[in-house]
Amino acid sequence: MATEWLQKIPKESIVHEAYAFALEAHENEKRMNGDPYMSHCLEVGKSCFEWRLGDAAIAAALLHDVAENTEFTIQDIREKFGEEIAFLVEGLTKLEHFQYPANPDIENLRKFIISFCEDLRVLIIKLADRLHNMKTLEYLPKERQDRFAWETMEIYAPLAYRLGMQRLSGELDDLAFPYVHPEEYKWLLKETKDDYAERQEYARRVVPIITKELEKNGIRPVNVDSRAKRYFSLYRKLLRYDMDFSKIYDLVALRIITNTVTECYAALGVVHQLWQPFPNRFKDYIARPKANGYRSLHTTVFCIDNRILEVQIRTEEMHEENELGIAAHWAYEQVKDSKKRKAKWKGVENKKELAWVSQLRNWQKNFTGELEFLEDLKTDFFKDRVFVLTPENDIIDLTIGATPIDFAYRIHSDVGDQCVGAKVNGKIVSLDYELHSGDVVEIITQRGKKPSESWLSFVKTVSTRKHIKNALNAGRRMLRKKAGPTAVEFKIITVDRPGYLKDVTSIFANSKTNIISLSSQTDSRMKFATITLRSGILPQQKIEKLLVKLKKIAGTREVSHRFVQ
Ligand code: MN
């Protein structure tokens, strides 16, 4: 088992205790390939060490499968290693239990995972875990291989990319590629084998020429070398260029690492002086970083033998951030405490923020408003959203504070209308229960049940409120319609005169209409009378005939009618 990296960590660090504990816990356990289980934990820990995530995260990485696979619990870890490490391990254990939906909305799933990992270190340790699982994928049964590879390509590699962890993202994609697209992978390998070797050889010839020219111009590059484009990244690019290799200029690119930003632009000038630039191919990702924080200058030139070559120019610090992404932040945080390493990082502090912070801000902007980055490294993404699951593992994205009723209406208005109860994570809860990310919500319905007006006092979303009001109004309309009107009420305003009532009743008698009730009221000045009279339900024609006759009675001022129950 590879433990060399552990020796680089000071003896008194908690990492060593975590190692000893995990080693004992996993003592009798083996991986599929026959290796001791601990070898996996060590690899995950090593990645976190290389990404400089800090001792708590490295310890959590070593312990990440203890609660999952052994007799020890999160509580044991809490007692022995404290709250922070226990919290990280618990997050990882929860994530392990999460079942990916069969037909997920990929974007929602990524958001879910981010919101689920309240602390981004949980996600990054998970990525390290995934990286090692992908490296040892060949030992798993075919079904699990496909599943793992698919998840890696659809979910984890894009998440790593968004965190600016470019190298990791590319590595994950390349590990998944042969499983997800086996035919295409074989084809690409065959097609590019010679090309890669040949272009790499060509780049090697260019390195001393450019190095010499830079030095002649007073630029002492930190490093000049070539990098080969990753297979999956190449494949993706080929899809955009009709699978035409001749259109791919960066299969092998030259990379110049400088000390300062000024030197980046100076080096660019040197390159352009030496070789003619290809038109419209210059990209300044320093002035305008990519959405994920990537910074570099890219140019394509007609190089020696008039061949086309892409050149990438960046500072050492940009290079580090491009490769490590968000993990570079923790590295930076730690460097702040260590005066020794401070010199290497000078210049960083002068900047208001690292590129990845603005990258996260950009990312986050798409979903919510302002992001105030938390000092304690807690993720603040989607702070006004919760992501909950249906029993079928579909992810539902709701406003924070949402209740089971909001959830029910989101599933379907019928589910909302007929909701009589809810279970969260298998336990019955009240309907005003506040849902949390990761909750599995089950709605209990009863056919024909109607929503309660009281729900309006606690539901959170506007659309839920609208649904409830609609259902309540529809209910009232239904009730009226069902009962229907039972009488016609005539209202007559007339000059108060003797014999008027007799004239009215004789009109009803002549048209063979029974009077159910009759009342008469005279106003205070004894001048006008209001007569209210009810008959059974009558056809509209008959009502109109009666109204005409009533208006003709001497003294009538006004006649109206309405249907009543
Ligand atoms: Mn694991």
Side-chain angles (χ1 to χ4, degrees):
M1 291 194 289
T3 55
E4 298 81 26
W5 63 273
L6 274 175
Q7 313 315 317
K8 297 177 192 159
I9 295 173
K11 279 272 167 293
E12 65 279 9
S13 164
I14 198 154
V15 171
H16 295 289
E17 276 171 67
Y19 170 66
F21 187 87
L23 189 64
E24 207 186 306
H26 292 295
E27 201 184 1
N28 300 314
E29 220 181 327
K30 292 252 185 289
R31 297 203 88 216
M32 284 286 202
N33 63 357
D35 283 351
Y37 197 87
M38 193 59 201
S39 65
H40 165 66
C41 309
L42 272 165
E43 287 304 315
V44 179
K46 189 180 167 196
S47 290
C48 295
F49 169 71
E50 283 168 355
W51 298 338
R52 285 172 279 161
L53 282 191
D55 284 1
I58 298 167
L62 290 170
L63 295 164
H64 81 274
D65 278 330
V66 163
E68 182 64 29
N69 296 6
T70 76
E71 65 201 274
F72 295 100
T73 63
I74 299 290
Q75 192 51 39
D76 295 328
I77 292 172
R78 185 172 286 117
E79 279 162 22
K80 193 151 172 48
F81 297 100
E83 190 49 54
E84 187 182 10
I85 291 172
F87 169 80
L88 295 173
V89 175
E90 190 171 25
L92 286 156
T93 307
K94 271 202 244 164
L95 202 53
E96 194 64 40
H97 277 273
F98 172 65
Q99 291 240 319
Y100 291 88
N103 294 303
D105 173 338
I106 296 283
E107 194 45 43
N108 252 351
L109 188 55
R110 289 184 204 139
K111 283 195 250 172
F112 168 75
I113 289 169
I114 285 285
S115 71
F116 190 64
C117 301
E118 279 174 84
D119 187 313
L120 274 183
R121 286 175 299 177
V122 172
L123 179 57
I124 297 173
I125 300 166
K126 178 69 192 173
L127 291 172
D129 177 44
R130 181 49 62 117
L131 178 65
H132 188 246
N133 283 334
M134 286 305 295
K135 283 180 178 168
T136 51
L137 200 57
E138 57 190 299
Y139 303 102
L140 290 187
K142 172 105 178 57
E143 222 175 290
R144 289 194 65 200
Q145 282 179 344
D146 290 348
R147 188 81 200 145
F148 255 75
W150 177 85
E151 283 170 13
T152 300
M153 191 170 272
E154 291 289 342
I155 298 150
Y156 290 106
L159 279 173
Y161 183 81
R162 282 191 166 174
L163 297 176
M165 303 177 79
Q166 192 139 296
R167 186 172 47 191
L168 174 64
S169 172
E171 228 176 327
L172 288 172
D173 270 335
D174 271 4
L175 287 165
F177 188 22
Y179 295 96
V180 178
H181 306 291
E183 294 307 314
E184 292 84 346
Y185 176 74
K186 272 182 229 151
W187 170 81
L188 194 73
L189 220 59
K190 199 169 129 262
E191 289 295 310
T192 57
K193 216 179 137 206
D194 297 341
D195 244 15
Y196 264 119
E198 204 271 334
R199 291 207 206 185
Q200 211 126 32
E201 182 48 42
Y202 174 76
R204 260 195 288 276
R205 276 165 56 205
V206 177
V207 169
I209 300 172
I210 183 69
T211 310
K212 203 174 146 200
E213 198 64 21
L214 287 170
E215 281 170 357
K216 240 167 60 185
N217 284 275
I219 303 163
R220 209 175 254 279
V222 178
N223 190 26
V224 180
D225 65 3
S226 64
R227 78 103 184 88
K229 196 171 187 64
R230 285 185 181 278
Y231 280 114
F232 189 65
S233 156
L234 172 63
Y235 175 68
R236 227 173 356 212
K237 197 159 185 175
L238 279 167
L239 287 177
R240 292 203 310 269
Y241 289 89
D242 310 316
M243 302 317 251
D244 183 352
F245 281 97
S246 67
K247 289 178 184 156
I248 311 290
Y249 303 131
D250 64 343
L251 193 61
V252 175
L254 200 74
R255 195 172 270 168
I256 301 169
I257 312 284
T258 67
N259 281 297
T260 65
V261 178
T262 317
E263 280 183 352
C264 286
Y265 290 98
L268 179 75
V270 170
V271 171
H272 283 177
Q273 248 167 35
L274 206 53
W275 298 302
Q276 199 193 344
F278 197 96
N280 303 321
R281 291 275 305 186
F282 169 64
K283 292 190 190 91
D284 186 346
Y285 294 121
I286 294 177
R288 284 168 179 274
K290 285 191 188 181
N292 73 343
Y294 177 84
R295 290 185 301 159
S296 187
L297 299 176
H298 287 191
T299 187
T300 305
V301 293
F302 296 97
C303 198
I304 46 173
D305 304 336
N306 213 28
R307 285 181 58 168
I308 296 164
L309 180 72
E310 183 174 297
V311 182
Q312 305 175 348
I313 307 165
R314 60 188 66 167
T315 65
E316 198 177 12
E317 175 210 329
M318 286 174 200
H319 185 60
E320 177 114 343
E321 272 182 49
N322 290 347
E323 300 278 295
L324 284 182
I326 197 160
H329 171 68
W330 282 281
Y332 171 61
E333 288 287 309
Q334 284 172 31
V335 167
K336 269 205 305 199
D337 302 333
S338 136
K339 278 180 193 155
K340 249 198 292 176
R341 282 189 284 174
K342 205 164 186 172
K344 191 173 170 276
W345 282 80
K346 68 173 184 262
V348 173
E349 288 145 292
N350 298 336
K351 272 191 308 175
K352 265 203 205 136
E353 57 190 15
L354 292 174
W356 72 268
V357 176
S358 55
Q359 150 223 327
L360 286 180
R361 183 161 296 164
N362 283 335
W363 175 18
Q364 206 255 359
K365 241 187 225 159
N366 298 328
F367 304 104
T368 61
E370 277 261 296
L371 167 68
E372 281 173 60
F373 214 83
L374 296 183
E375 285 298 316
D376 63 1
L377 313 180
K378 289 274 157 64
T379 52
D380 203 20
F381 302 108
F382 319 114
K383 58 182 169 192
D384 58 352
R385 308 301 292 168
V386 288
F387 294 84
V388 298
L389 300 158
T390 68
E392 292 76 37
N393 265 327
D394 289 323
I395 292 159
I396 307 287
D397 164 4
L398 297 162
T399 310
I400 198 148
T403 65
I405 298 290
D406 295 290
F407 173 89
Y409 275 101
R410 177 62 73 76
I411 302 287
H412 194 279
S413 58
D414 286 349
V415 177
D417 287 345
Q418 301 180 20
C419 172
V420 290
K423 278 185 188 173
V424 169
N425 305 326
K427 285 191 196 111
I428 296 270
V429 296
S430 63
L431 291 176
D432 61 356
Y433 176 86
E434 189 181 323
L435 298 173
H436 300 282
S437 278
D439 280 348
V440 179
V441 189
E442 197 182 331
I443 296 298
I444 304 158
T445 58
Q446 192 181 308
R447 261 185 88 91
K449 234 353 209 182
K450 294 286 165 240
S452 156
E453 197 152 0
S454 66
W455 293 357
L456 291 169
S457 66
F458 59 76
V459 296
K460 277 290 175 301
T461 72
V462 178
S463 73
T464 306
R465 205 170 285 280
K466 220 153 115 190
H467 276 306
I468 296 172
K469 280 182 178 161
N470 281 347
L472 289 171
N473 288 339
R476 285 185 195 118
R477 276 195 299 275
M478 282 274 283
L479 211 65
R480 273 197 295 274
K481 204 170 171 189
K482 212 160 134 195
T486 55
V488 185
E489 185 181 271
F490 296 86
K491 197 171 177 184
I492 308 154
I493 297 170
T494 174
V495 172
D496 195 14
R497 68 165 172 83
Y500 186 89
L501 259 185
K502 191 169 161 279
D503 292 346
V504 170
T505 53
S506 60
I507 284 171
F508 277 85
N510 290 341
S511 67
K512 298 189 167 60
T513 306
N514 284 329
I515 292 170
I516 301 168
S517 70
L518 191 148
S519 66
S520 173
Q521 246 185 329
T522 308
D523 78 352
S524 54
R525 286 169 298 160
M526 308 292 278
K527 201 170 171 198
F528 293 99
T530 303
I531 296 160
T532 309
L533 179 154
R534 284 186 179 191
S535 74
I537 286 295
L538 301 171
Q540 194 63 30
Q541 258 187 330
K542 200 164 189 178
I543 294 170
E544 269 154 31
K545 273 184 191 166
L546 284 166
L547 290 172
V548 171
K549 284 181 184 167
L550 290 168
K551 269 181 193 162
K552 282 184 181 165
I553 305 172
T556 302
R557 287 287 182 272
E558 227 179 287
V559 185
S560 64
H561 82 290
R562 64 182 185 112
F563 294 97
V564 292
Q565 282 187 344

